[in-house]
Structures are given as C-alpha cells and as structure tokens.
Amino acid sequence: MTDDLVLYTHPMSRGRITRWMMEEIGAPYRTELLGYGGAMKGEAYRAVNPMGKVPALRHGTTTVTEVAAILAYLADAFPQAGLAPEPGSAARGPYYRWLFFCAGPVEAAVTNKTLGVEVPDDPRMRGMVGYGSLEAVLDTLEGAVADTAFVAGDRFSAADLYLAAHLGWGMQFGTIPKRPAFEAYVGPHFARPAAKRARDIDDRLLAQAGSAA
C-alpha cells in the first residue's frame, strides 16, 4: 500500500534527492506536498518533523528525517534494490564515509560559501569548523570521484546518488565549480532512468505550483 511509504517534500528542495531514491527502490509510495512557511511550519507537519522542513519519510510507524539518514534507511529497508554494499563488506566503509562526508563537510562548506560566511585563515579556526576550507572539501571530493564510476564498490549506491545530486545541483546553480572530474562522474548517474523519472515528477509539480500561484 502506498500509505505504508510517504514522502513529505516540496519540488524545489532537498526532497528532490529523496525522490530520486524513492524511484530507485521501486516501491509504491505516496507524496505529501508542503508549501514553505505554511503547511511546512504547521502543527500537523511538526508532529512529523519538529524542524518544520522537508524532506521527511514515513514508513509504516517509522519516521526518518535528514536526507542522508533517509537514503541510508531506504537502502537497508529495501535491500532488493541493491543500493548499499552488504554489511561487513569491504565496500561498506567507503559507502558510509562518502555518504556522510556529503552530509557533513560538503553541505556545511558549500552552504557557508553561498551565504558569504568566510572561515578565518587560521589553523585553529579552520579546525573548529570541521571541514577546514571549501577548497579542501572540493579537492577531497574530486579525489573520491575522479576516474571512477562508483565511490563504494563496483556498483551504484545511495552514496553515489547523494554525491551526484549535490554535485549536479551545485554545478547547475554555481555553488560548486564545474570541474571535469565532477561532470564526468555526475553525467552517467543523472542519466539513470530513476533519476530522469524523479526530475520529471518534481519539475511537473513545480510547474503546476507556479501556474496555480
């Protein structure tokens, strides 16, 4: 039943990443669309996510928020989709590493740069922010994706989905530079059928929201 799996989202949000994951796992699900500032901050939705932000996932009686957590949860909840290396395998470590590198250093460094938050050029200060500098993050990320199709093992995983989504979005809107290694890595992942379906769904929802405004 679609009510067993519910995605709370907005078509112009990080929920687009989760939508892609939903399409990859192939299980039926229902979408609950929430508008910014209205329903998203309302009492009913805050019972789902007290932060009043999307995306969020409800799977039966389980609720999960935060994109990386949702992806990791879905990969394990639907193992038949093959979106996570086997627990205990050699690829499981890199899978966790790059999934949460994206959720932590990449998110923080790119957001700070976008907002004009500059970390002082002082080793102590750079140590306090965790990611050090945006250049360090991007160089590390480039080293992870250069000359490889997958960051964890020999197949596509939720870690690839998350990294490709962030890189693709960032390069599109100018928050991440268009390095050749990034473009080469993102291209094949964005061409996946599930990625295309997810974009089509959210683009259509976005157009409908715009025409109704």
Side-chain angles (χ1 to χ4, degrees):
M1 294 176 60
T2 55
D3 280 349
D4 289 339
L5 200 55
V6 182
L7 170 64
Y8 299 86
T9 188
H10 184 282
M12 186 53 75
S13 74
R14 289 173 177 79
R16 294 177 75 98
I17 304 174
T18 307
R19 171 86 67 190
W20 180 2
M21 185 69 174
M22 304 295 280
E23 292 298 315
E24 289 282 357
I25 65 173
Y29 66 96
R30 179 166 60 85
T31 299
E32 285 284 343
L33 293 177
L34 296 106
Y36 286 109
M40 203 179 294
K41 300 299 183 182
E43 184 177 348
Y45 182 61
R46 283 186 180 274
V48 177
N49 185 358
M51 291 288 288
K53 66 185 185 71
V54 292
L57 177 79
R58 181 166 58 78
H59 184 203
T61 59
T62 299
T63 298
V64 188
T65 66
E66 312 312 317
V67 177
I70 294 171
L71 300 191
Y73 174 84
L74 287 171
D76 286 345
F78 296 89
Q80 66 273 18
L83 293 168
E86 290 292 323
S89 68
R92 192 75 173 193
Y95 167 75
Y96 282 134
R97 177 186 181 183
W98 298 115
L99 186 64
F100 294 105
F101 181 80
C102 191
V106 175
E107 272 267 11
V110 172
T111 299
N112 280 353
K113 182 65 174 180
T114 302
L115 296 176
V117 178
E118 295 291 342
V119 180
D121 191 13
D122 180 319
R124 292 171 300 175
M125 297 294 185
R126 292 192 182 278
M128 288 176 64
V129 299
Y131 63 79
S133 69
L134 177 61
E135 279 303 305
V137 169
L138 295 177
D139 290 347
T140 299
L141 198 52
E142 182 173 3
V145 303
D147 302 319
T148 188
F150 314 115
V151 295
D154 58 0
R155 68 184 186 189
F156 180 79
S157 71
D160 292 303
L161 189 157
Y162 200 25
L163 287 175
H166 267 279
L167 287 171
W169 182 274
M171 289 189 292
Q172 179 182 352
F173 290 97
T175 58
I176 291 177
K178 291 183 177 180
R179 297 186 180 184
F182 293 162
E183 294 178 306
Y185 173 75
V186 168
H189 297 324
F190 267 34
R192 292 176 64 85
K196 292 180 178 179
R197 287 197 305 272
R199 287 196 300 273
D200 287 345
I201 292 169
D202 279 320
D203 287 347
R204 184 169 62 251
L205 290 171
L206 193 60
Q208 290 172 355
S211 64

